[in-house]
Amino acid sequence: MSKRLPPPDPVAVLRGHRASVMDVCFHPTRPLLFTGSADGELRIWDTVQHRTISSAWVHSAAHGIICVAASPLIGNNKILSQGRDGTVKYWDIEDGNLSRTDSYHFCKLSLVKRPFTCPKPFEDDIHPEGPKYLAIAGQESSEVEIWDLNTAERFAKLPQNCSNGSSSHSTKGRGMCMAVQAFLPSESEGFLHVLTGYEDGTMVWWDMRHTSLPLTSVKFHLEPVITLSLDGSCKGGISGAADDKIVIYSLDHSLGSCVVQKEISLERPGIAGTSIRPDSKIAATAGWDHRVRIYNYRKGNALAILKYHRATCTAVSFSTDCRLMASSSEDTTVALWELYPPCTVT
């Protein structure tokens, strides 16, 4: 019998933060990594040379950063940082702060995701045109607000009130909005869709053409939904919660339904972050138990448990070219991993 190979070690460990690293994301086209920490520091790393390029305290140390986000849809030299101090800041990574919007609570914001098309390595200007929107938990904790980054103004909320001031679908009974993912499926004719996860374990799917009523609502978790990710086709994804399971689900756009494809039981509860590689082959979770777990996304079977971190893992992210994964932790480190690299066509 062949022996099961031990899990790999990280190819690099990025050290420099002085506080818990709360989020991590890759630049969409360049070998750069963005990280944000609990003391408000935003760092930009070179993923080839494994060194810090720049660092700045962009949110107050008392509140810190809970989310960093980049996307080709907002521009290749732009990044968002979200703090617990009630602000989202929109940065030009070369020229400094551009603008800011209000945010509330501790639900991480979401930029718009659209179906993935494989780029050439570090190709610039992928999807340079498109809506510069973000979705975020609202001032009313059970609501979701959609903001326009061009104007720094809110233009919609979910659920939207009717003309008489009432809403035909209230989310107050679901508790706080804990997770959100905005996306543009190919079937939507350019209209924004939003997935939201709530404190009572419910997930709700919204179509912005019908903001008073969702397409569907499902309850796959018994505890608050903390993280939602979509795959490269925007036709399914993975959710993590404060309970002891991970759910891989599919989205049927013709029926407006969300269906469980696989439930994965955990020995220890609590998932802080999820991510699906752009080619939709593998998925990763960041656990409260200090572990990063890797799964075959299509089959749902476990591939590896990565045990480098010594405190709660807060986030995982894959590079656009599928060659690197980054994990962040409350142990103040960021680990870079090379896992099941995609085949290269020559």
Side-chain angles (χ1 to χ4, degrees):
M1 275 178 77
S2 61
K3 278 180 127 183
R4 188 169 184 177
L5 293 174
D9 293 324
V11 296
V13 178
L14 308 180
R15 294 180 174 89
H17 281 290
R18 299 165 181 82
S20 301
V21 185
M22 304 308 295
D23 203 15
V24 58
C25 76
F26 285 91
H27 189 283
T29 60
R30 293 161 61 186
L32 300 176
L33 184 73
F34 305 104
T35 57
S37 60
D39 60 357
E41 184 185 20
L42 173 67
R43 279 185 179 248
I44 304 175
W45 305 83
D46 183 318
T47 60
V48 176
Q49 299 184 3
H50 305 150
R51 64 180 181 87
T52 300
I53 294 176
S54 66
S55 169
W57 271 264
V58 298
H59 293 267
S60 70
H63 298 91
I65 294 174
I66 62 171
C67 180
V68 289
S71 166
L73 289 178
I74 66 169
N76 284 334
N77 62 337
K78 303 294 192 296
I79 184 173
L80 293 174
S81 63
Q82 177 188 4
R84 292 184 190 273
D85 57 356
T87 58
V88 173
K89 297 184 179 181
Y90 186 26
W91 301 91
D92 186 305
I93 63 174
E94 296 173 350
D95 299 331
N97 192 9
L98 289 182
S99 61
R100 56 193 275 175
T101 67
D102 289 329
S103 73
Y104 311 90
H105 319 300
F106 51 85
C107 169
K108 289 183 177 182
L109 64 84
S110 168
L111 293 174
V112 177
K113 183 181 180 72
R114 65 190 307 169
F116 176 74
T117 55
C118 186
K120 296 177 182 177
F122 305 123
E123 177 185 26
D124 284 333
D125 299 325
I126 303 172
H127 304 309
E129 301 299 328
K132 294 184 179 180
Y133 301 149
L134 68 84
I136 197 165
Q139 187 170 13
E140 171 59 52
S141 62
S142 64
E143 295 178 346
V144 173
E145 298 178 350
I146 313 299
W147 286 71
D148 186 335
L149 290 174
N150 290 324
T151 62
E153 294 180 350
R154 187 188 73 183
F155 74 91
K157 68 176 181 177
L158 302 169
Q160 185 71 47
N161 289 338
C162 300
S163 56
N164 61 5
S166 65
S167 172
S168 55
H169 180 88
S170 175
T171 54
K172 289 184 179 179
R174 305 189 191 282
M176 293 177 64
C177 176
M178 306 288 287
V180 62
Q181 176 64 65
F183 61 110
L184 273 175
S186 55
E187 298 87 349
S188 73
E189 300 176 348
F191 287 92
L192 196 64
H193 285 218
V194 181
L195 272 181
T196 52
Y198 292 91
E199 195 174 1
D200 70 346
T202 301
M203 289 168 49
V204 179
W205 181 8
W206 302 89
D207 181 336
M208 291 302 296
R209 288 170 289 191
H210 312 287
T211 55
S212 60
L213 280 172
L215 290 175
T216 189
S217 63
V218 291
K219 190 170 183 178
F220 298 151
H221 295 278
L222 298 177
E223 298 289 340
V225 178
I226 296 174
T227 173
L228 294 168
S229 294
L230 287 178
D231 61 26
S233 68
C234 295
K235 294 181 179 179
I238 186 170
S239 62
D243 59 15
D244 59 354
K245 65 181 175 181
I246 299 162
V247 174
I248 297 176
Y249 56 87
S250 64
L251 300 175
D252 188 319
H253 292 272
S254 61
L255 299 176
S257 63
C258 182
V259 179
V260 172
Q261 295 298 309
K262 177 113 179 181
E263 284 191 3
I264 302 169
S265 297
L266 301 172
E267 292 182 6
R268 303 178 187 90
I271 296 295
T274 56
S275 185
I276 302 170
R277 204 166 73 175
D279 62 6
S280 299
K281 291 185 177 180
I282 63 174
T285 64
W288 292 356
D289 63 353
H290 314 174
R291 306 290 189 255
V292 174
R293 288 174 169 81
I294 308 299
Y295 298 93
N296 181 317
Y297 173 65
R298 292 169 182 170
K299 297 179 180 178
N301 57 298
L303 298 176
I305 300 176
L306 309 179
K307 301 179 180 180
Y308 172 77
H309 292 293
R310 302 189 179 205
T312 295
C313 295
T314 55
V316 281
S317 178
F318 288 97
S319 60
T320 305
D321 64 2
C322 304
R323 297 187 178 280
L324 283 176
M325 184 191 78
S327 58
S328 58
S329 170
E330 291 183 0
D331 66 9
T332 75
T333 68
V334 176
L336 294 180
W337 310 82
E338 290 181 353
L339 303 167
Y340 307 100
C343 295
T344 302
V345 179
T346 57

